Amino acid sequence: MLVQCTKKLFDELKIKPIAATNEESLFSWHANIITVNRRKTVVLVNDSNRYIIVLHGMKAKDFKNFNELIIHSIRETLLAECIQAEIVEQFIQHSPELIYAKTRDRTTVARMNKACETVYFYADELQSDTINQSRINRKVGTYLVSDDSHGFMYPYESLYKDLAVFANTAIIACQAVELKIMLSLSNHRVWRHVIVPWHITFHELHKVLQISFNWKDYHLHDFFIFDGDEPILNLVCSEDAFEYPNTVPMKLETGSKLSDYIPKYSRIKYNYDFGDDWQHYIEVLNMVENYQYNYPICIGGEGNAPPEDVGGEGGYDKFLAVIADPKHPEHADMVKWAAMQWYQDFDVTLVNRRLKDSLRQ
C-alpha cells in the first residue's frame, strides 16, 4: 500500500519518503498527524473512496510499529463493517508492503485536511484505551464529501462499491441474532421483532431499541441478563449506577457485546426511564448465519410505544383517552404535546430507515 504523508508525519516517523510511485487508488492513502485531546492522532484517507482510518493516542514506541498498526486498524475496521473476512485478507494481501511517499497534490491534501476537521468534531468520542478507532472510522464514513464529478458521496458506500468490484462478489456477511422484544404493559400489546448483527455492543442494542419503540433517549437505561428465571448480570449505562448497588453483579455496558452472552443466555430485560419504568423483555429466537446486512432491521411489530414522560402506564391510558376525545377540555393541548413528543403510529418502513445508520451514530 502507498501511504503519502505530510512532512509533519515524516518527521514523527523519522523516515525519508521514496520517489513518487503509481499505485491503484484503492490501495493508496494520504496521511497526516494532528493532536486531539492532547494525544497524537494519525488520520489516513483512502484516495479512491475517502474512507477514513484513525489511529489515536500514538506514542514514540507506536511509530516504530506503524506498519503493523495501520494494517491492524484497516483489518479491524473492515471486519467491523461486516466485510467478509476472506475479502478483508484479499484486500490486505493484494498490496501488503507499505511504501511511504510525499503527498501528491493540493486537492488531495485539502481533502485530507477536511477529514482531519471531521475527526476533531468527534474528539470527545475517541477512545483513550485503544489506538484503533473502528467505531469512529465507521461513524465519520457517513459524512458527505465531494467527488470528482462535482457531486457528493458517502465514503462508506464508496468503500463498499470499491470492494465489491475488487472481490467481484457480495462483500457483506456476518452472524446475526433474531430478537423479539415485548414492552410490558397491562392494557396494551406492544412488541417488535428485529434482527441485529451478533457482534454489536449492548449500548448499540440500546440504540436499536430506542428507534424501534420510538423512544428519544432522554433517560437512563440498563439491561439484566437472565439464566432461566434468575438475573445473573446487570449491565448499566453510567458509572453513577454503581452508587446504587443491588444483589445482582453490575458491569458497564460499554464494550459488552451480545456475542459475549447470546446464545448461552436467551432472556434479557431492558429497562428504560426509571421514573416511568418501561420494562422490555427480550427473547432470543434464532441465530442467523450469513446475514447479508451490517445493520439491524425490524421485520415486524405491533402497537405504539407510549410517548416520553407520559407518566407510566397510568399516564399513557389517560393520554390515549384524552387524544381520542375531541370534546375533552385537554384534547387540543394533549394533541399538541403529543406532536412535540413525536408520538406516531408504528411504521416499520420508517423504523428501518432510521435503523440503517443507527450503528454509525
Side-chain angles (χ1 to χ4, degrees), residues 71-98:
I71 295 299
H72 173 74
S73 191
I74 291 173
R75 176 183 285 112
E76 292 302 306
T77 299
L78 294 183
L79 291 174
E81 290 276 8
C82 293
I83 308 301
Q84 294 188 55
E86 56 270 28
I87 294 176
V88 174
E89 293 310 313
Q90 289 173 21
F91 174 79
I92 291 171
Q93 293 305 318
H94 182 83
S95 184
E97 182 183 2
L98 269 69

Side-chain angles (χ1 to χ4, degrees), residues 21-254:
T21 182
N22 291 324
E23 176 62 277
E24 297 174 69
S25 60
L26 179 57
F27 303 94
S28 176
W29 305 76
H30 272 70
N32 192 14
I33 184 169
I34 58 178
T35 301
V36 186
N37 299 334
R38 295 183 294 181
R39 292 172 178 263
K40 293 177 180 178
T41 303
V42 175
V43 179
L44 295 102
V45 185
N46 188 269
D47 287 351
S48 176
N49 47 61
R50 311 277 292 281
Y51 195 90
I52 297 171
I53 297 289
V54 180
L55 308 176
H56 178 61
M58 298 282 291
K59 298 177 181 177
K61 62 181 179 63
D62 298 316
F63 286 101
K64 296 178 181 179
N65 301 312
F66 196 53
N67 287 12
E68 291 81 1
L69 286 172
I70 290 177
I71 295 299
H72 173 74
S73 191
I74 291 173
R75 176 183 285 112
E76 292 302 306
T77 299
L78 294 183
L79 291 174
E81 290 276 8
C82 293
I83 308 301
Q84 294 188 55
E86 56 270 28
I87 294 176
V88 174
E89 293 310 313
Q90 289 173 21
F91 174 79
I92 291 171
Q93 293 305 318
H94 182 83
S95 184
E97 182 183 2
L98 269 69
I99 300 170
Y100 295 91
K102 293 181 180 180
T103 54
R104 187 171 67 232
D105 53 48
R106 290 183 179 180
T107 298
T108 311
V109 170
R111 289 175 173 178
M112 179 177 60
N113 290 338
K114 191 67 176 178
C116 292
E117 291 176 13
T118 304
V119 174
Y120 278 125
F121 183 77
Y122 286 104
D124 292 342
E125 298 185 41
L126 289 167
Q127 295 175 278
S128 59
D129 58 347
T130 179
I131 290 175
N132 175 39
Q133 301 290 319
S134 293
R135 178 174 171 273
I136 293 299
N137 298 343
R138 297 185 67 228
K139 200 164 187 175
V140 297
T142 62
Y143 266 68
L144 275 174
V145 297
S146 59
D147 60 21
D148 293 334
S149 62
H150 306 291
F152 294 91
M153 66 182 187
Y154 291 108
Y156 81 96
E157 290 183 344
S158 295
L159 170 70
Y160 295 169
K161 292 176 182 176
D162 282 349
L163 290 176
V165 171
F166 166 72
N168 194 30
T169 187
I171 63 168
I172 292 175
C174 67
Q175 285 186 291
V177 58
E178 185 179 346
L179 306 172
K180 184 172 182 180
I181 309 101
M182 179 73 72
L183 176 58
S184 181
L185 297 171
S186 300
N187 303 320
H188 311 279
R189 182 173 172 81
V190 181
W191 58 271
R192 302 290 183 262
H193 190 175
V194 302
I195 300 176
V196 300
W198 188 41
H199 68 273
I200 69 171
T201 66
F202 276 86
H203 181 70
E204 290 171 324
L205 177 61
H206 157 70
K207 293 181 180 181
V208 172
L209 297 173
Q210 288 286 303
I211 292 172
S212 299
F213 286 89
N214 200 33
W215 299 123
K216 300 299 175 288
D217 203 7
Y218 291 163
H219 304 282
L220 298 174
H221 68 274
D222 68 1
F223 292 91
F224 281 87
I225 310 295
F226 283 79
D227 185 0
D229 293 331
E230 294 296 322
I232 60 168
L233 182 64
N234 181 200
L235 295 171
V236 299
C237 67
S238 168
E239 293 276 4
D240 295 340
F242 293 98
E243 297 179 11
Y244 307 94
N246 55 52
T247 57
V248 180
M250 303 172 72
K251 180 182 177 181
L252 272 176
E253 69 181 14
T254 307

